[in-house]
Amino acid sequence: MLVPPGYADYSSYFSEVLSFLREYSWVYNFPVTELLVQDVLKQIPMEWSTALLSLTYQQLNILPQGFVMDDWPPSLIHFCHQCQMLKIPTQRVIEHRPELPDKIRRGLTPKKQHEIVSLAALISAECSAYGITQVLDMGAGLGYLGQLLHHCYGFHVLGLEVEAERVKTASRRQESMCPSSAVKYLTFSISSESCHFIENEIQNSMRGISNCKCGALKIQSHEYGIMNKWHSPDVCIGGGEQCSVDMSDYNSEVVNGSTYVCSKEPADEERMFSPSLGSDNCLLGPSTTSLCMTGLHTCGDLSVDAIRLFFQLVSTKLLVMVPCCYHKMSLTKDTAMTEEKFFNFPLSSSLCHLIHSSTFCDSSRFLRRPFLRLASQETATRWQQWSEEDHKEHSLQVMARAVLQLYAHDEDLVLKKKCRRAVRKTSRSTFDSFMDDALKRYRFVSKTSENHYDHSTSLCKVSELWNHHKASCHLAEIVTGLQMAVQGVAESFILADRAAYLQEHAVPSVEIVKVMNDCVSPRCLALVARK
């Protein structure tokens, strides 16, 4: 079970978290833009404010990591301790830094490079234990992960992506690196009802695969739970080039009492990557072939749809999924502003039973979109690196945006964006620069008409509100610090719900693997399930 130490089952863990989230819902249960509209700052206990406002910025940085002081009020110390105790432990930590081939690196940001290298290494390690050589990539995007899996590890990949233009780009990019049909991208809207289409595509649509010019590969050999061997440092890639793998970052590491070692020694028995395509020569082989289903940052409902398809597709034996954007999960039709209900949260019968019980019948009031958004935010690790200047700029931006929202609320207006990014990060150093940029990129609209409001009049009134509230900037940053402390609990709660759901559906092995550096990529946790 994926629960913290001390909990006998999922139900007892979920019950404890629900009680915690209800008690401290004032910390997170609001859109950040409505910080002033909902008077959040006045909900902070006075003794908490006194204690937290005395912190240095260095101390504030480690507040989400469990920092407490002896002279704090007991209620604040209890809150901080609970934030640590209710996070599910990462069962393994994967640290990979192989060098990315130039053909794959081209056009990728350092963040994307880190993500695909790290996840591909985990997929290869997990697939090796099953002898799996074929991957189904859900929400394949521009195809970077699948291209790396084939290019450096030799996997056959079928990538499904809803956006046609992304599929075209992924296909062109793959063609330029390796013209083999062993990697294919299809335009398709994935849902939990997609089983028959995907099964047919696996079995029938991908015929006549050409021999791949990438050549045979020496691949990882792993014992269960411990990375103990690695492929040869020289692996063949498209066009006959050589990709050297920097092994200097592979070290012994103790995680939760277990030692995980990656040795520089070659495998005793090197297996050549020459997957059988089966009698019908399909891309992903016949129905008896074992597949790995994966997805890098599967957004919103997609990760849940993938989990349901994992149950349905007989050939999928392994799931390696990094979910993200929990707040983009869709609401049910009977939802309300104050009581939001989601199609795909909660999932497990353990949690569903609790939220429908009399004890937690009000859970839809605090398990709302702001909660899911909090779970999707940056982690405490990145917060820990902030400088004093970072904190001051962030608090100014939060408070200035809250003032803008307060003005709209007081004037019975709706604040609408003129463009996708309303306030640019380069315009946060002063209130005047923030507002000058914001009022160019927002427009105020009456709730009852399409009348626009003069910027000069708006700016004057907004400035008055700013002068009244600007002294609370640091207190707003304290709220952010408290949210950062709860963030780990929020994401743990969602992932534990999904793990319980998998195990309730007879998936015997489920674990959480920290596959990326959360300073680089905040959504760094992979859900790994094995049938």
Side-chain angles (χ1 to χ4, degrees):
M1 291 186 300
L2 292 185
V3 296
Y7 293 95
D9 50 33
Y10 282 112
S11 182
S12 60
Y13 170 66
F14 290 149
S15 179
E16 189 82 9
V17 177
L18 286 170
S19 297
F20 171 84
L21 293 173
R22 174 200 281 150
E23 181 176 359
Y24 300 108
S25 60
W26 58 267
V27 172
Y28 66 86
N29 194 22
F30 58 92
V32 176
T33 56
E34 295 188 5
L35 185 76
L36 297 176
V37 171
Q38 297 194 26
D39 266 342
V40 174
L41 302 181
K42 293 182 180 179
Q43 298 178 48
I44 306 174
M46 183 64 68
E47 62 274 19
W48 285 32
S49 297
T50 302
L52 295 173
L53 286 172
S54 67
L55 295 180
T56 66
Y57 283 108
Q58 290 74 21
Q59 291 171 329
L60 181 60
N61 281 353
I62 57 177
L63 174 67
Q65 307 261 0
F67 172 78
V68 297
M69 298 184 71
D70 293 339
D71 60 350
W72 281 3
S75 60
L76 177 55
I77 294 176
H78 179 66
F79 165 82
C80 293
H81 285 166
Q82 281 191 294
C83 287
Q84 301 306 307
M85 292 171 57
L86 295 175
K87 291 190 291 188
I88 57 174
T90 302
Q91 293 183 299
R92 283 190 291 158
V93 177
I94 304 296
E95 289 288 347
H96 307 283
R97 297 294 184 272
E99 183 180 343
L100 196 63
D102 289 339
K103 288 186 176 183
I104 304 290
R105 183 186 296 110
R106 186 177 65 250
L108 271 64
T109 64
K111 177 176 181 288
K112 182 58 67 175
Q113 293 176 34
H114 173 75
E115 290 168 349
I116 64 170
V117 165
S118 301
L119 184 56
L122 174 61
I123 291 169
S124 180
E126 291 292 333
C127 286
S128 179
Y130 276 81
I132 292 175
T133 59
Q134 301 167 17
V135 174
L136 180 62
D137 188 3
M138 311 295 274
L142 297 175
Y144 301 136
L145 176 63
Q147 289 151 13
L148 178 61
L149 285 169
H150 176 69
H151 202 63
C152 287
Y153 297 98
F155 286 99
H156 287 184
V157 180
L158 174 61
L160 303 180
E161 167 59 41
V162 68
E163 294 189 23
E165 285 303 313
R166 289 188 173 189
V167 171
K168 291 179 182 178
T169 301
S171 300
R172 285 196 301 267
R173 184 180 169 93
Q174 176 61 33
E175 180 71 19
S176 69
M177 289 187 291
C178 174
S180 170
S181 55
V183 179
K184 183 173 181 179
Y185 297 98
L186 299 177
T187 304
F188 184 71
S189 179
I190 300 166
S191 72
S192 57
E193 284 75 45
S194 303
C195 179
H196 292 302
F197 169 84
I198 295 174
E199 195 73 66
N200 289 336
E201 191 60 42
I202 291 172
Q203 298 302 318
N204 302 316
S205 69
M206 296 301 295
R207 298 179 181 275
I209 296 176
S210 60
N211 291 328
C212 178
K213 296 181 180 179
C214 292
L217 296 172
K218 301 173 184 178
I219 64 172
Q220 299 170 338
S221 175
H222 292 264
E223 293 179 0
Y224 179 78
I226 300 180
M227 294 174 48
N228 67 340
K229 299 187 185 296
W230 188 255
H231 57 68
S232 168
D234 296 321
V235 295
C236 178
I237 61 175
E241 301 174 9
Q242 296 297 312
C243 169
S244 63
V245 179
D246 180 6
M247 304 302 295
S248 61
D249 290 321
Y250 288 81
N251 299 301
S252 299
E253 184 172 5
V254 177
V255 181
N256 294 334
S258 300
T259 303
Y260 300 97
V261 183
C262 183
S263 171
K264 296 182 181 179
E265 299 176 2
D268 295 330
E269 297 179 5
E270 297 172 345
R271 291 190 291 129
M272 302 307 290
F273 228 165
S274 52
S276 171
L277 298 178
S279 58
D280 59 357
N281 205 28
C282 297
L283 172 69
L284 298 181
S287 59
T288 55
T289 299
S290 295
L291 308 178
C292 171
M293 179 186 290
T294 191
L296 173 57
H297 292 157
T298 48
C299 186
D301 294 311
L302 177 57
S303 57
V304 179
D305 289 336
I307 288 172
R308 292 196 172 107
L309 287 168
F310 178 63
F311 300 147
Q312 299 172 37
L313 293 168
V314 177
S315 56
T316 56
K317 304 300 182 184
L318 180 64
L319 176 71
V320 182
M321 189 76 59
V322 180
C324 74
C325 301
Y326 308 112
H327 59 290
K328 292 185 179 180
M329 287 191 286
S330 53
L331 292 162
T332 61
K333 292 181 179 179
D334 63 339
T335 194
M337 288 294 292
T338 57
E339 295 186 359
E340 295 180 337
K341 300 176 183 178
F342 298 87
F343 281 111
N344 290 317
F345 177 72
L347 284 175
S348 65
S349 60
S350 299
L351 184 52
C352 287
H353 175 75
L354 282 172
I355 68 169
H356 289 105
S357 68
S358 57
T359 306
F360 297 110
C361 60
D362 62 336
S363 59
S364 60
R365 294 178 180 269
F366 56 86
L367 297 181
R368 298 167 59 244
R369 202 175 296 280
F371 167 76
L372 299 179
R373 185 179 292 278
L374 177 64
S376 306
Q377 288 182 188
E378 294 183 351
T379 65
T381 304
R382 186 178 290 190
W383 167 272
Q384 191 174 3
Q385 298 180 335
W386 280 22
S387 66
E388 181 175 342
E389 182 181 355
D390 292 331
H391 282 294
K392 288 181 177 179
E393 287 189 351
H394 178 261
S395 62
L396 182 145
Q397 185 183 37
V398 168
M399 186 59 72
R401 181 61 182 84
V403 162
L404 206 60
Q405 192 69 31
L406 181 61
Y407 167 74
H409 176 267
D410 291 346
E411 298 293 325
D412 202 27
L413 303 173
V414 176
L415 199 57
K416 292 189 175 181
K417 295 179 181 179
K418 294 181 181 179
C419 46
R420 181 175 175 271
R421 186 176 292 278
V423 179
R424 294 169 291 188
K425 291 184 178 180
T426 55
S427 302
R428 57 162 76 170
S429 58
T430 67
F431 173 76
D432 289 339
S433 61
F434 180 96
M435 292 308 304
D436 181 63
D437 192 55
L439 293 178
K440 291 176 182 175
R441 302 167 74 83
Y442 281 109
R443 61 190 178 98
F444 292 104
V445 178
S446 171
K447 292 182 179 179
T448 57
S449 70
E450 284 295 314
N451 293 331
H452 294 192
Y453 285 75
D454 179 67
H455 278 184
S456 59
T457 302
S458 300
L459 182 58
C460 181
K461 293 182 178 181
V462 169
S463 296
E464 291 178 3
L465 287 174
W466 170 254
N467 289 330
H468 179 70
H469 291 285
K470 64 182 180 181
S472 299
C473 278
H474 189 54
L475 193 56
E477 196 70 351
I478 295 298
V479 172
T480 304
L482 295 174
Q483 289 181 340
M484 295 301 299
V486 178
Q487 188 279 328
V489 178
E491 188 164 18
S492 291
F493 187 64
I494 294 169
L495 292 176
D497 175 48
R498 294 180 181 186
Y501 182 66
L502 282 160
Q503 294 182 319
E504 288 168 359
H505 284 75
V507 177
S509 176
V510 183
E511 65 176 320
I512 299 294
V513 179
K514 185 177 181 181
V515 69
M516 300 163 198
N517 182 340
D518 53 340
C519 288
V520 179
S521 184
R523 300 283 69 74
C524 61
L525 299 178
L527 189 66
V528 179
R530 309 171 188 89
K531 288 182 179 176

